[in-house]
Amino acid sequence: DTGVSQDPRHKITKRGQNVTFRCDPISEHNRLYWYRQTLGQGPEFLTYFQNEAQLEKSRLLSDRFSAERPKGSFSTLEIQRTEQGDSAMYLCASSFRSTGMNTEAFFGQGTRLTVV
Amino acid sequence: DAKTTQPPSMDCAEGRAANLPCNHSTISGNEYVYWYRQIHSQGPQYIIHGLKNNETNEMASLIITEDRKSSTLILPHATLRDTAVYYCIVFSGGYNKLIFGAGTRLAVHP
């Protein structure tokens, strides 16, 4: 396993179109996080899963955004009716959490979305 | 909101030690100090973390003050490849998540 994998690395889409990103976490990790990062800013938390359960969603995650993690493995982040303000880097991270143990989070290389 | 304060930018000469400060005056007893860095156009990379003792690994050293209100990340011999944005984060684990601030942009120059 070579780490957290995100696909695609780059996506250009027209305003109003729907886009979907995929994240494959490190195989034994039960936690999966999504972040968004705009130019010059630190990553902003969007949502996270423990196994297949979505435990928290940020207020940044509008109704146009939806994330899933079926079967607790890979995750998808969908943005419907994209807007130019959605242009950003979308980062995925994974970690392992159990009673008495919590590994650091490992990040993927991100998907850069450009809405034109 | 991030619970840490870092200088927006720093410079360091190649081969010298880079000392990156972080203030976290409201840190709670169960919160760790984590450091990540982000090289341009890549995802953040974990560097080191600590609770109250100083820590060292192959990448860096972390010095936490006795009152835990501040810490310093030390890159002992900075190289050009250490040019990145460095984020200091307080994190308790559990059902919490990493909250990033703006970080410190470190420029290592020849």
Side-chain angles (χ1 to χ4, degrees):
Chain A
D1 191 298
T2 56
V4 179
S5 177
Q6 293 189 245
D7 183 71
R9 292 292 310 278
H10 302 274
K11 177 71 175 180
I12 300 175
T13 190
K14 292 183 178 179
R15 190 174 51 186
Q17 297 294 304
N18 299 344
V19 294
T20 300
F21 310 139
R22 178 180 170 121
C23 172
D24 286 274
I26 293 172
S27 59
E28 65 270 23
H29 283 184
N30 55 5
R31 288 269 178 101
L32 188 147
Y33 305 82
W34 285 99
Y35 286 80
R36 180 175 70 186
Q37 186 174 27
T38 53
L39 198 62
Q41 304 297 314
E44 297 173 295
F45 169 76
L46 292 179
T47 187
Y48 86 94
F49 294 83
Q50 172 130 339
N51 300 312
E52 66 276 7
Q54 189 172 19
L55 296 188
E56 187 175 346
K57 293 195 296 185
S58 163
R59 288 171 293 177
L60 296 174
L61 214 64
S62 76
D63 292 344
R64 297 185 297 105
F65 289 70
S66 62
E68 295 182 342
R69 192 182 182 201
K71 303 178 183 178
S73 55
F74 71 92
S75 176
T76 58
L77 178 67
E78 180 183 18
I79 309 174
Q80 296 182 326
R81 305 181 303 281
T82 53
E83 302 173 355
Q84 286 188 320
D86 298 329
S87 296
M89 174 80 85
Y90 290 84
L91 292 160
C92 176
S94 71
S95 69
F96 179 79
R97 164 72 183 170
S98 69
T99 303
M101 182 177 177
N102 190 30
T103 71
E104 58 270 19
F106 293 86
F107 283 79
Q109 295 303 301
T111 293
R112 181 168 297 283
L113 173 67
T114 303
V115 181
V116 297
Chain B
D1 290 341
K3 298 173 64 175
T4 62
T5 304
Q6 299 178 253
S9 64
M10 294 184 65
D11 289 323
C12 180
E14 190 177 20
R16 304 297 294 270
N19 297 288
L20 291 90
C22 180
N23 286 320
H24 31 79
S25 59
T26 61
I27 192 170
S28 301
N30 64 340
E31 287 181 318
Y32 290 77
V33 180
Y34 275 72
W35 283 83
Y36 279 76
R37 74 179 182 184
Q38 190 172 24
I39 296 170
H40 183 61
S41 296
Q42 298 184 19
Q45 175 190 25
Y46 166 80
I47 301 173
I48 198 168
H49 74 280
L51 184 62
K52 52 184 177 181
N53 297 322
N54 298 338
E55 301 288 343
T56 295
N57 63 19
E58 65 278 4
M59 290 183 67
S61 294
L62 174 60
I63 308 297
I64 303 174
T65 58
E66 193 167 344
D67 63 8
R68 302 211 322 124
K69 293 185 177 182
S70 65
S71 61
T72 301
L73 179 75
I74 301 172
L75 307 178
H77 306 287
T79 71
L80 298 178
R81 287 179 293 182
D82 292 322
T83 293
V85 178
Y86 287 77
Y87 298 99
C88 170
I89 303 166
V90 295
F91 175 62
S92 63
Y95 290 98
N96 295 308
K97 64 280 184 186
L98 296 170
I99 301 297
F100 289 81
T104 295
R105 186 171 298 275
L106 176 68
V108 181
H109 52 84

